[in-house]
Amino acid sequence: MLRSSLLATTATIVAFAISAPSFAQSAAPNPASTATVIAHRGASGYRPDHTIEGYKLAIELGADFIEPDVVATKDGVLIVRHEPMLSGTTDVAQRPEFANRKTTKKLDGVDVTDWFAGDFTLAEIKTLFAKQPMAGRDTSFDGQFRIPTLQEVIDLAKSESARLGRPIGIAPETKHPTFHQQAGIPLEDKLVGMLTAAGWTTKDAPVVIQSFEVGNLKYLNGKTDVRLAQLIDADDIGPDGEIVLAVPLAQPYDLVVAGDTRSFKDLVTPAGLKEIATYADIVAPWKPYILSAKYTDANGDGKPDDLNGDGKLDWADRTLLPPTDLVKNAHAAGLKVYTWTFRAEPRNLASNFKGDPVAEMRAYIDLGVDGVFSDFPDVAVKAARGQ
């Protein structure tokens, strides 16, 4: 998962050459870790998001779970894409036969113009190719990999578990469930049916279902005993490191529809965490809710300082603030804490970490975080294993 607002900022990502990972020891059984490693959209730092090839690489790199974001096609098949919109992660915009499918829809109350998976049959989806959505990352695999169904991801997890002799879990995220319900292609019952068919129905099954919405998690809690995770979003962080909420990333959208005024911040108060514990097993906040960072203005000119002198302001120009009590409060409520998204590019790391992504993840693990979502599973495994 990734905050929706980041989709608009990916074009500003500075190019960062990441050496190809070594697979020499990657297929060994994964020893006990101090935190669960979830491969965010697969090995998305190295391959296009949500592809079988990316998931295979994530497994080879030692991930405990692979994360398929789930949307539905026109004919009601669950496929794996980051959003219902297709242009950011596929070649649909370059396909003249689908030019007339571009349309404007309300997504979480906001007009969005794009190609939507719900307007395509599975057969049409299978003609598309995946591409790397993040600027500055390797695009050499663009146009090589097809779009998988959720069933293909389940089958992969099962076959790789058998091959490697260790459990490979899946962490499906129901993307914009209210949008899918309103479109007449709801996700929940199909998802539960597929998990049940796979034999995954209990707390110890290798499954965690995630959602930014509340109502569908409560519904799922009555349909399955697999673990559930309440995702906690935000729009941004301010110059002083404060969480910034703005529409459509201020509240779970189902709460908006229901006239419930609670925000994401409200959900991570002690009272909010106790409520989450009544229907979910895990709270999964964006990582600044746990450990944030601020800009500095040492020269007093009223502008944030460019600490590394690269002419840009990003995470590398921020310094860490003291951690919040979220992890402690969540554990007190009986919840595990997973957090996201960890990336290896120096621009995504606060200055305190000196460009070391392992150091960043270890800082969160040392605070008691139980699971980390990372685009770079090999880096996350190194941090989680204490290597």
Side-chain angles (χ1 to χ4, degrees):
M1 91 282 1
L2 174 67
R3 298 178 307 121
S4 299
S5 62
L6 285 183
L7 289 176
T9 65
T10 54
T12 66
I13 293 179
V14 179
F16 176 64
I18 302 173
S19 60
S22 170
F23 302 153
Q25 300 175 348
S26 61
N30 202 12
S33 298
T34 57
T36 297
V37 173
I38 306 98
H40 183 244
R41 310 191 220 167
S44 56
Y46 303 116
R47 299 289 186 273
D49 299 0
H50 298 305
T51 58
I52 293 297
E53 293 78 8
Y55 292 132
K56 285 181 177 178
L57 177 56
I59 292 165
E60 290 292 333
L61 295 177
D64 301 304
F65 280 74
I66 52 178
E67 186 211 24
D69 291 336
V70 178
V71 302
T73 65
K74 183 178 182 178
D75 42 353
V77 179
L78 301 188
I79 63 168
V80 180
R81 286 291 86 196
H82 175 55
E83 295 282 1
M85 299 83 74
L86 298 173
S87 69
T89 63
T90 77
D91 63 350
V92 68
Q94 285 72 53
R95 304 291 292 275
E97 67 270 33
F98 297 131
N100 64 352
R101 303 286 180 91
K102 189 176 185 180
T103 187
T104 300
K105 296 179 186 284
K106 287 281 187 185
L107 185 76
D108 294 358
V110 176
D111 285 337
V112 176
T113 301
D114 210 294
W115 290 260
F116 289 82
D119 293 332
F120 290 73
T121 65
L122 176 61
E124 291 171 329
I125 290 288
K126 283 296 187 179
T127 69
L128 301 176
F129 285 98
K131 68 178 184 179
Q132 172 60 253
M134 301 284 277
R137 290 185 175 174
D138 185 0
T139 59
S140 65
F141 297 96
D142 288 8
Q144 296 187 31
F145 308 142
R146 297 292 188 181
I147 312 307
T149 64
L150 179 60
Q151 186 61 55
E152 289 175 296
V153 178
I154 291 171
D155 293 343
L156 175 68
K158 282 180 165 285
S159 65
E160 288 295 278
S161 295
R163 181 177 73 87
L164 296 174
R166 67 178 178 91
I168 306 297
I170 68 167
E173 181 189 339
T174 55
K175 299 298 294 192
H176 303 281
T178 295
F179 171 83
H180 280 93
Q181 291 162 8
Q182 292 172 341
I185 43 176
L187 306 172
E188 292 81 6
D189 289 338
K190 287 187 173 67
L191 174 57
V192 171
M194 294 172 72
L195 297 178
T196 300
W200 293 339
T201 60
T202 61
K203 291 285 186 197
D204 60 357
V207 179
V208 173
I209 302 176
Q210 316 166 69
S211 181
F212 283 107
E213 295 192 13
V214 173
N216 78 313
L217 287 177
K218 290 183 175 180
Y219 177 82
L220 287 164
N221 186 46
K223 293 289 184 177
T224 180
D225 289 328
V226 302
R227 286 165 289 174
L228 305 177
Q230 177 67 66
L231 298 167
I232 303 296
D233 214 338
D235 181 69
D236 205 345
I237 59 169
D240 293 330
E242 70 277 14
I243 296 290
V244 176
L245 301 180
V247 174
L249 301 174
Q251 298 175 260
Y253 187 62
D254 64 304
L255 297 189
V256 175
V257 172
D260 188 326
T261 60
R262 285 177 297 162
S263 71
F264 282 113
K265 284 184 180 180
D266 293 323
L267 297 187
V268 292
T269 62
L273 291 166
K274 288 178 182 177
E275 181 182 347
I276 290 172
T278 66
Y279 62 85
D281 309 276
I282 298 162
V283 63
W286 183 38
K287 62 188 182 182
Y289 277 97
I290 297 169
L291 186 61
S292 193
K294 67 175 183 177
Y295 289 125
T296 59
D297 181 17
N299 60 11
D301 67 354
K303 300 178 182 179
D305 296 338
D306 179 9
L307 298 183
N308 60 7
D310 66 355
K312 302 176 179 65
L313 288 176
D314 48 36
W315 272 91
D317 301 301
R318 290 178 179 263
T319 55
L320 292 177
L321 293 167
T324 70
D325 290 332
L326 193 155
V327 174
K328 179 186 72 174
N329 293 338
H331 285 165
L335 293 164
K336 297 288 189 182
V337 181
Y338 291 4
T339 192
W340 47 275
T341 300
F342 292 92
R343 300 187 163 96
E345 294 95 344
R347 71 174 299 277
N348 293 310
L349 305 172
S351 61
N352 307 66
F353 300 121
K354 302 184 186 305
D356 182 357
V358 172
E360 182 198 29
M361 274 183 272
R362 284 181 178 165
Y364 284 83
I365 292 169
D366 288 346
L367 290 172
V369 163
D370 303 289
V372 292
F373 289 82
S374 178
D375 292 357
F376 299 86
D378 50 343
V379 178
V381 167
K382 184 176 181 181
R385 292 178 185 173
Q387 297 174 349

